[in-house]
Amino acid sequence: MEIVALLSDPAAWLALLTLIALEVVLGVDNLIFIAILSNKLPVHQQERARRLGLMLALGMRIGLLMLIGWIVTLQQPLFDLGIVGPPVEGTNKASFETAFSGRDLILLAGGLFLLWKATKEIHHSMEPNDPSGDLLDKTPGVAAAATASFGAVIVQIIAIDLVFSVDSILTAVGMTDDIPIMVAAVVITVGIMLFAATPLARFIETNPTLVMLALAFLVMIGLVLIADGFGFHVPKGYIYAAMGFSVGVELLNIVQRNRRRRIAGLG
């Protein structure tokens, strides 16, 4: 009966659509990470890794929704170092706090992991192991793809899925109290991500400069997660606006390069 009541409630549909839009935006970070990791695997394993990673994300988020009471307690402080910064202008809230909750610790660990992984991938991208010397049309770091272990890639995907899942669920809890709406939003969002995962990964693989841009995004996201863990809340809208602008500029560069290549070929 509760499901029927929700289906006939316009407010429930509005909450569902809002949550789906929000989850899709928040899922971009996760999708980029999965795309970069899966592209390091042999070609025949890449799509399997992407699908498995996203299905694990779905299972993890639904599992966390079943433990929603415990998830909410993650926002309660676990310990306090007793250090605070000056108050934010116009408020009584300190600009820097050291009262850490379970959520803060998860975000800190996830941010540090993203920083480490993205920095490592940038280092490999700067020194591609390509004996032919033809680096223009190859994704940086892909030359070492055969050395990437399927199991190791899945473990890393699971680790970052946990971080993004906790953040996603806590965001959903702040918008609605209805578990069926949250589960429906998560399932639809992961379905969209499953549809977009392979095209995104192929697009990144065929445009090497986008790999460095995506890794730079992961560095920025890692820093934002760390800042959030320390109580510095950076509005997500600013982050995604900067990412969208950067991608737009890079797409223009790609179009320009392709036109120059076609003109050079005709000449």
Side-chain angles (χ1 to χ4, degrees), residues 54-130:
L54 288 170
M55 293 308 296
L56 287 170
L58 173 62
M60 197 173 296
R61 293 182 188 193
I62 292 178
L64 290 174
L65 283 172
M66 299 300 104
L67 300 172
I68 197 69
W70 173 73
I71 291 296
V72 172
T73 64
L74 289 177
Q75 300 183 86
Q76 301 300 319
L78 297 176
F79 59 90
D80 190 346
L81 300 180
I83 305 172
V84 296
V88 177
E89 185 177 354
T91 70
N92 293 323
K93 186 177 180 181
S95 59
F96 179 80
E97 300 178 358
T98 52
F100 294 98
S101 64
R103 173 183 177 273
D104 294 332
L105 297 179
I106 291 174
L107 291 179
L108 285 171
L112 290 171
F113 174 72
L114 270 182
L115 277 180
W116 168 76
K117 187 62 184 176
T119 303
K120 181 179 177 182
E121 293 301 320
I122 288 173
H123 173 73
H124 287 322
S125 297
M126 298 298 290
E127 299 180 358
N129 183 22
D130 185 2

Side-chain angles (χ1 to χ4, degrees), residues 165-229:
S165 294
V166 169
D167 198 30
S168 170
I169 296 305
L170 288 175
T171 301
V173 170
M175 297 189 63
T176 180
D177 296 326
D178 295 309
I179 299 296
I181 291 178
M182 288 188 267
V183 171
V186 167
V187 171
I188 293 172
T189 301
V190 173
I192 294 172
M193 292 169 68
L194 279 168
F195 179 77
T198 297
L200 176 64
R202 288 175 179 168
F203 187 66
I204 288 176
E205 187 174 15
T206 54
N207 295 278
T209 54
L210 282 177
V211 176
M212 189 62 71
L213 185 62
L215 290 172
F217 288 161
L218 292 180
V219 171
M220 180 172 62
I221 293 164
L223 290 173
V224 169
L225 290 177
I226 293 172
D228 202 354

